[in-house]
Amino acid sequence: MAIFGITTRYVWFAVPIGGYLVGKYLDDQETLRMTNFRDKSMLYGGKVKPGDPPSWP
Amino acid sequence: MMKFLMMMIFMIPLCFMKNMFWMVQMMLMLMMFMFMNLGVKLNLFCNLSYMMSCDIMSYGLILLSIWISILMIMASENLYKMDYYVNFFLFNVIFLLIMLYLTFSTLNMFMFYLFFEGSLIPTLLLIIGWGYQPERIQAGMYLLFYTLFVSLPLLIGIFYMNNEMNCMIIYFLKFFNLNNYLLYISMILAFLVKMPMYFVHLWLPKAHVEAPVSGSMILAGIMLKLGGYGLLRLMIFLQEINMKLNYIWIVISLVGGFYISLKCFCQIDIKSLIAYSSVAHMSIVISGIMIMNYWGFIGSYILMIGHGLCSSGMFCLANISYERLHSRSLYINKGMMNFMPSMSLWWFLLMSSNMAAPPSLNLMGEISLINSLMSWSWISMLMLMLISFFSAGYSLYLYSFIQHGNYYSGIYSYYTGVSREYLMLMLHWLPLNILVLKIDYSMIWF
């Protein structure tokens, strides 16, 4: 069965998409790790007042 | 950036399944559009993760790599039809793409070196594995040894740099200035051979003539741009010494570019002619980078993108003729207008883009480069005139030799172009002529 040429073989698209999601998880973990250094440098640290939201998410 | 890397790595097992040829291509297309949606418009490094990142320069080149890989698969349908190690071919393409992606996106100099040289292996395998003639072994050796001979100095240069500056991060290179002749030579020579500069270009026509269409496409489309990318990145901490020595490379490139465009008229092999025309174009790119002003840098970048699309399209066209006539000789590929009238339109469009006719990216790049070279020295005007004139000349020569005249009487059977081929050519030509409408993205990275 094919709807607009889309057959069941297209299920294999889940594999690279799965890879994408794994990579996204890793990226997010890395971003989380980098928040350890957020707004703490001598150059940019003073710009955020205590109680303000951080400068980047 | 890990997202797309993992996506490509997960595609590898799919390459070894049966009848996955077009599926892998469509997955790459999906990735291309997902990558486009990153929408990097900054000259700062975005999407930092795990020592990978991209600014607008690497973003454009990664987009080009994915695009050319898609078109490589599209152009190699013959392998799929004949089932000629098609799984390993797909793996090779994906592996090459991973190497290129990592080269363009890594922030570490040593990693850059590693992947820069790593991309040589799949290219070599493409040439040796899917080439047509026995001479391909020799061409592979040329490719390997020209590049490796100068890559070890680069490695030592990078280690020396690490020793001096305690830093291998590309972003931080701008805080340093190393004024050392040996280091300068060892750092840039690897890229100049890869570009290739005149005198060290001999591996390129050989590799192109022996490579299959996919090998030629990736070689002309991306591998030559690796050299330009490396130079653009490294030039930032070699500025002072480069100001003393740049005239050497500029003079070699300009005079060499002129010689090479004359050599184009002596070729009887279509692919070899296109390969020589690549050398002529790359010589202007080298001189633009070596001059180190704004217009030179952006001009080189734009011309690299434009040339990647244009020459890859011309290799496709050469292969389309080759698949029908089983010859690449200019004496046999004649009178094509009688056989494939619609294809002659695409020959015309791509040839006119190659001679930097409007509205292609090549025109924009050449205008910037000519401006920058003229600002460096007005005497370069002479060579620029000659290069521009003869590049138009050999494009016209190739077009009219192939399209006009009497056709070869020994043709036994023939079939006209198929829609896959027209689509492939359109996907080369459209970005080349539409990207020029938003050229300012290429102008902000510096």
Side-chain angles (χ1 to χ4, degrees), chain B residues 80-240:
Chain B
Y80 178 58
K81 275 187 188 157
M82 300 188 301
D83 201 14
Y84 191 69
Y85 298 104
V86 69
N87 295 343
F88 192 59
F89 172 78
L90 284 177
F91 167 70
N92 216 347
V93 172
I94 299 281
F95 186 69
L96 186 51
L97 182 58
I98 290 176
M99 284 295 156
L100 292 168
Y101 179 81
L102 287 170
T103 315
F104 289 130
S105 67
T106 186
L107 280 178
N108 187 312
M109 277 303 299
F110 179 69
M111 290 292 166
F112 172 77
Y113 171 81
L114 205 66
F115 298 124
F116 176 76
E117 297 303 334
S119 61
L120 198 64
I121 299 165
T123 319
L124 189 73
L125 287 182
L126 269 181
I127 294 177
I128 292 185
W130 286 271
Y132 305 113
Q133 298 157 91
E135 288 84 5
R136 64 184 186 268
I137 307 291
Q138 192 198 11
M141 287 296 141
Y142 263 68
L143 170 73
L144 197 63
F145 281 98
Y146 262 77
T147 332
L148 282 190
F149 179 67
V150 284
S151 88
L152 287 177
L154 173 64
L155 181 64
I156 294 174
I158 288 172
F159 285 156
Y160 175 82
M161 210 174 79
N162 187 36
N163 217 18
E164 288 286 298
M165 321 194 285
N166 285 320
C167 166
M168 288 222 221
I169 312 287
I170 288 176
Y171 179 73
F172 292 139
L173 291 182
K174 60 181 170 187
F175 302 126
F176 298 100
N177 177 30
L178 293 184
N179 201 358
N180 182 330
Y181 284 91
L182 262 179
L183 178 73
Y184 176 69
I185 297 290
S186 64
M187 289 302 256
I188 66 164
L189 216 56
F191 301 120
L192 289 178
V193 172
K194 198 83 172 182
M195 278 291 267
M197 186 177 67
Y198 185 69
F199 288 140
V200 279
H201 68 277
L202 280 173
W203 63 273
L204 186 75
K206 266 189 181 302
H208 272 307
V209 168
E210 302 303 331
V213 58
S214 49
S216 287
M217 284 169 73
I218 198 80
L219 212 56
I222 311 292
M223 303 305 279
L224 305 190
K225 279 74 207 171
L226 279 177
Y229 176 79
L231 280 181
L232 284 170
R233 286 281 191 221
L234 290 191
M235 214 34 91
I236 203 143
F237 76 99
L238 297 168
Q239 286 177 31
E240 192 180 341

Side-chain angles (χ1 to χ4, degrees), chain A residues 28-47:
Chain A
D28 291 349
Q29 291 299 310
E30 177 74 357
T31 311
L32 204 61
R33 189 183 71 80
M34 282 194 287
T35 53
N36 287 332
F37 314 103
R38 182 176 57 196
D39 300 327
K40 289 198 178 110
S41 71
M42 294 299 280
L43 189 59
Y44 298 107
K47 288 187 183 166

Side-chain angles (χ1 to χ4, degrees), chain B residues 184 192 197 242-243 245-257 283-292 372-373 376-377 380 383 387:
Chain B
Y184 176 69
L192 289 178
M197 186 177 67
N242 188 50
M243 288 310 269
L245 296 177
N246 63 356
Y247 70 95
I248 302 174
W249 317 116
I250 298 173
V251 167
I252 292 177
S253 296
L254 284 179
V255 177
S283 68
I284 324 181
V285 171
I286 293 176
S287 20
I289 295 173
M290 286 298 172
I291 283 168
M292 286 201 313
S372 85
L373 277 160
W376 180 69
S377 159
S380 63
M383 280 299 154
I387 292 177

Side-chain angles (χ1 to χ4, degrees), chain B residues 154-427:
Chain B
L154 173 64
L155 181 64
I156 294 174
I158 288 172
F159 285 156
Y160 175 82
M161 210 174 79
N162 187 36
N163 217 18
E164 288 286 298
M165 321 194 285
N166 285 320
C167 166
M168 288 222 221
I169 312 287
I170 288 176
Y171 179 73
F172 292 139
L173 291 182
K174 60 181 170 187
F175 302 126
F176 298 100
N177 177 30
L178 293 184
N179 201 358
N180 182 330
Y181 284 91
L182 262 179
L183 178 73
Y184 176 69
I185 297 290
S186 64
M187 289 302 256
I188 66 164
L189 216 56
F191 301 120
L192 289 178
V193 172
K194 198 83 172 182
M195 278 291 267
M197 186 177 67
Y198 185 69
F199 288 140
V200 279
H201 68 277
L202 280 173
W203 63 273
L204 186 75
K206 266 189 181 302
H208 272 307
V209 168
E210 302 303 331
V213 58
S214 49
S216 287
M217 284 169 73
I218 198 80
L219 212 56
I222 311 292
M223 303 305 279
L224 305 190
K225 279 74 207 171
L226 279 177
Y229 176 79
L231 280 181
L232 284 170
R233 286 281 191 221
L234 290 191
M235 214 34 91
I236 203 143
F237 76 99
L238 297 168
Q239 286 177 31
E240 192 180 341
I241 181 112
N242 188 50
M243 288 310 269
K244 291 179 201 154
L245 296 177
N246 63 356
Y247 70 95
I248 302 174
W249 317 116
I250 298 173
V251 167
I252 292 177
S253 296
L254 284 179
V255 177
F258 167 55
Y259 283 162
I260 285 288
S261 27
L262 290 183
K263 271 306 269 190
C264 283
F265 289 101
C266 310
Q267 304 303 317
I268 51 163
D269 185 325
I270 301 178
K271 265 190 153 178
S272 161
L273 201 160
I274 302 169
Y276 275 107
S277 87
S278 295
V279 181
H281 278 110
M282 282 298 123
S283 68
I284 324 181
V285 171
I286 293 176
S287 20
I289 295 173
M290 286 298 172
I291 283 168
M292 286 201 313
N293 56 17
Y294 175 75
W295 283 101
F297 271 23
I298 59 158
S300 310
Y301 179 65
I302 296 170
L303 192 58
M304 282 198 300
I305 302 271
H307 177 264
L309 289 164
C310 179
S311 66
S312 162
M314 291 196 302
F315 279 116
C316 279
L317 279 169
N319 186 60
I320 288 169
S321 294
Y322 178 74
E323 278 175 1
R324 285 158 177 78
L325 292 175
H326 302 289
S327 168
R328 291 190 309 260
S329 167
L330 274 177
Y331 301 122
I332 292 181
N333 282 281
K334 283 176 73 63
M336 283 294 153
M337 208 178 252
N338 300 313
F339 281 120
M340 289 196 280
S342 320
M343 203 58 84
S344 71
L345 171 71
W346 289 103
W347 272 103
F348 170 75
L349 289 174
L350 282 162
M351 281 298 150
S352 61
S353 295
N354 193 42
M355 67 167 83
S360 61
L361 278 178
N362 298 37
L363 175 76
M364 188 63 216
E366 281 198 15
I367 288 176
S368 322
L369 284 171
I370 287 171
N371 274 312
S372 85
L373 277 160
M374 290 287 294
S375 73
W376 180 69
S377 159
W378 67 270
I379 304 175
S380 63
M381 175 167 59
L382 184 67
M383 280 299 154
L384 284 172
M385 271 181 345
L386 290 170
I387 292 177
S388 281
F389 177 76
F390 284 110
S391 83
Y394 61 68
S395 298
L396 268 176
Y397 167 77
L398 181 57
Y399 175 79
S400 50
F401 240 74
I402 291 176
Q403 297 301 326
H404 297 297
N406 295 326
Y407 52 82
Y408 173 54
S409 57
I411 299 175
Y412 181 61
S413 71
Y414 210 80
Y415 60 102
T416 180
V418 294
S419 55
R420 171 185 62 87
E421 289 161 346
Y422 291 117
L423 178 64
M424 184 169 72
L425 294 168
M426 192 143 61
L427 292 181

